[in-house]
């Protein structure tokens, strides 16, 4: 039977928290000639997001200036981007990135897959609420207007936030495994609606059981069947759901690796992945990364980035330091 999984982040709330002292340290780090980027890194990474919001509020109270605006005026490049990402309220961060995915130059379908496909109903509800507050628009309607075909149906289904949350029913597991086989390998062509129904409606623990049973029914993995029966973004979205069901940390470890593998670095995605998972499951992701690539995530980041930006990202991966 599938087991309930518990994950751990790398950044937690500082036990001894003094918002006034931290705000003062940030002000000193930006005062006068030059900026103390290491001090800024230390303050931000030694506190979780809720505490950073308190520090920002205290900063405005003490100095009459907006902390984010001050940091923007002092910093630049990828280091600035990462620092500002750490100061976005956690509840808003996914909504902001969904907006970037659909309203930038072209739609970033891969980002939509990575943000939405692994999420729980509660996660999706927060994204929808925050998107509405930030942009006065229904995120489901916005996304639907940007996409098409079977891929659109998968993403819109994710945004419904209606995955089943009932106990695993082994009779239903058997039926779902057989239905998937009958909709793909057993016929000429593919009944995409069956794949959509099972992968977009069933709970993650239920799907884990279905995928195990499918191996016996079909004589091959569900991933292999999806690769042979589907294509394009529809295939990619279904494979993402399968991968995050089977091993969620490994799913994100692979996504992180792709931001740094090959020529150049996708800094936007690297920052987004590290920041968004720093308080939830980055501890598990870095373990999965080492297991998969025989190299620590910290080492890969160190080889692929530089300067204060590198130190900040490595600090996020390593986790809480003692507050200054």
């Amino acid at each position: 039977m599938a087991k309930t999984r518990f994950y751990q982040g790398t950044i937690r709330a500082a036990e001894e928290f003094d918002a006034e002292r931290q705000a003062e340290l940030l002000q000193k780090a930006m005062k006068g000639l030059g900026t103390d980027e290491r001090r800024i890194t230390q303050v931000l990474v030694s506190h979780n997001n809720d505490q950073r919001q308190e520090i920002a509020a205290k900063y405005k109270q003490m100095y009459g200036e907006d902390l984010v605006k001050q940091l923007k005026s002092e910093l630049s490049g990828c280091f600035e981007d990462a620092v500002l990402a750490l100061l976005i309220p956690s509840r808003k961060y996914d909504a902001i990135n969904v907006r970037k995915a659909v309203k930038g130059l072209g739609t970033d379908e891969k980002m939509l897959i990575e943000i939405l496909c692994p999420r729980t109903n509660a996660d999706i509800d927060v994204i929808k609420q925050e998107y509405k507050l930030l942009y006065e628009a229904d995120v489901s309607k916005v996304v639907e207007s940007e996409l098409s075909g079977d891929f659109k149906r998968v993403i819109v289904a994710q945004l419904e936030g209606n995955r089943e949350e009932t106990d695993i029913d082994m009779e239903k597991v058997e039926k779902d495994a057989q239905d998937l086989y009958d909709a793909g390998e057993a016929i000429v062509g593919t009944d995409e609606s069956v794949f959509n129904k099972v992968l977009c409606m069933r709970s993650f623990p239920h799907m884990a059981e279905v995928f195990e049973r499918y191996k016996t029914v079909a004589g091959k993995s569900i991933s292999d069947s999806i690769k042979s029966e589907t294509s394009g973004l529809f295939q990619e979205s279904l494979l993402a759901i399968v991968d995050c069901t089977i091993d969620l940390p490994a799913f994100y470890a692979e996504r992180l690796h792709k931001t740094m593998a090959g020529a150049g670095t996708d800094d936007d995605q690297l920052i987004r992945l590290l920041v968004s998972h720093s308080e939830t499951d980055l501890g598990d992701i870095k373990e999965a990364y080492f297991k998969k690539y025989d190299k620590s995530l910290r080492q890969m980041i160190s080889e692929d980035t530089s300067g204060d930006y590198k130190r900040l990202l490595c600090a996020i991966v390593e986790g809480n330091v003692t507050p200054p």
Side-chain angles (χ1 to χ4, degrees):
M1 297 287 286
K3 297 180 180 179
T4 302
R5 297 170 294 184
F6 299 96
Y7 302 113
Q8 60 180 358
T10 56
I11 295 180
R12 295 169 295 281
E15 293 183 7
E16 297 182 7
F17 178 50
D18 184 341
E20 183 173 328
R21 171 169 166 74
Q22 302 306 314
E24 183 180 348
L25 288 171
L26 287 173
Q27 197 270 343
K28 288 180 178 178
M30 294 182 283
K31 186 178 180 181
L33 295 175
T35 304
D36 189 344
E37 288 87 354
R38 296 193 186 208
R39 178 51 57 89
I40 292 170
T41 293
Q42 190 178 13
V43 169
L44 296 182
V45 177
S46 60
H47 299 88
N48 70 2
N49 191 274
D50 287 344
Q51 291 174 332
R52 287 182 217 125
Q53 302 313 313
E54 290 188 50
I55 293 167
K58 183 62 71 174
Y59 187 95
K60 189 165 189 178
Q61 182 183 12
M62 292 170 66
Y63 302 108
E65 296 173 328
D66 184 88
L67 176 59
V68 169
K69 290 181 180 178
Q70 284 298 109
L71 287 165
K72 279 184 178 180
S73 70
E74 295 288 334
L75 308 177
S76 62
C78 292
F79 180 70
E80 175 192 347
D81 294 339
V83 164
L84 298 182
L86 286 167
L87 285 164
I88 296 172
S90 298
R91 286 179 61 90
K92 300 181 185 298
Y93 196 58
D94 283 327
I96 290 170
N97 282 301
V98 168
R99 180 76 171 186
K100 288 180 181 177
V102 295
K103 289 299 182 182
L105 294 175
T107 303
D108 190 335
E109 294 90 350
K110 294 181 187 297
M111 193 196 300
L112 283 177
I113 290 170
E114 189 269 303
I115 292 174
L116 298 176
C117 287
R119 297 310 176 94
T120 65
N121 292 344
D123 293 333
I124 294 296
D125 284 345
V126 170
I127 291 171
K128 290 159 71 173
Q129 291 167 18
E130 293 300 327
Y131 195 97
K132 183 78 171 177
L133 288 171
L134 287 167
Y135 305 111
E136 298 182 345
D138 183 328
V139 64
S140 297
K141 291 180 180 179
V142 172
V143 168
E144 192 170 357
S145 69
E146 296 289 330
L147 307 178
S148 61
D150 292 315
F151 174 62
K152 178 177 79 172
R153 283 184 275 277
V154 172
I155 297 301
V156 170
Q158 303 309 307
L159 282 166
E160 285 299 305
N162 284 326
R163 278 198 183 276
E164 295 171 353
E165 296 179 334
T166 54
D167 293 335
I168 296 170
D169 180 339
M170 293 311 292
E171 288 186 11
K172 197 172 184 179
V173 165
E174 183 74 32
K175 183 178 186 306
D176 283 344
Q178 189 65 51
D179 286 350
L180 286 169
Y181 177 72
D182 292 342
E185 297 288 349
I187 62 173
V188 176
T190 308
D191 186 347
E192 290 86 356
S193 66
V194 175
F195 283 83
N196 204 2
K197 180 188 76 173
V198 175
L199 272 68
C200 295
M201 289 179 57
R202 303 295 188 243
S203 71
F204 290 110
H206 177 92
M207 286 193 294
E209 295 291 347
V210 171
F211 301 156
E212 278 298 313
R213 180 59 186 154
Y214 185 88
K215 293 176 187 176
T216 302
V217 172
K220 62 195 300 187
S221 72
I222 186 67
S223 295
D224 286 341
S225 289
I226 289 171
K227 289 173 184 176
S228 63
E229 295 291 328
T230 64
S231 61
L233 290 167
F234 179 56
Q235 178 189 101
E236 191 168 338
S237 60
L238 295 185
L239 288 174
I241 294 170
V242 171
D243 289 345
C244 68
T245 299
I246 294 171
D247 191 337
L248 186 61
F251 169 79
Y252 286 120
E254 182 178 349
R255 292 304 191 274
L256 275 167
H257 187 72
K258 286 180 178 178
T259 68
M260 296 176 281
T265 304
D266 189 341
D267 294 294
D268 287 344
Q269 301 301 332
L270 176 58
I271 292 167
R272 180 179 59 80
L273 283 163
L274 292 177
V275 170
S276 62
H277 293 277
S278 61
E279 294 182 35
T280 54
D281 54 0
L282 186 55
D284 301 273
I285 293 168
K286 68 179 184 179
E287 289 180 8
Y289 191 95
F290 184 80
K291 183 177 180 181
K292 190 174 181 68
Y293 299 106
D294 198 30
K295 176 185 286 190
S296 74
L297 179 57
R298 188 185 191 286
Q299 182 182 349
M300 185 67 178
I301 291 170
S302 293
E303 293 174 358
D304 217 58
T305 60
S306 62
D308 294 306
Y309 175 51
K310 176 182 77 174
R311 281 186 283 274
L312 176 55
L313 296 190
C314 288
I316 294 171
V317 170
E318 288 302 304
N320 281 65
V321 294
T322 302

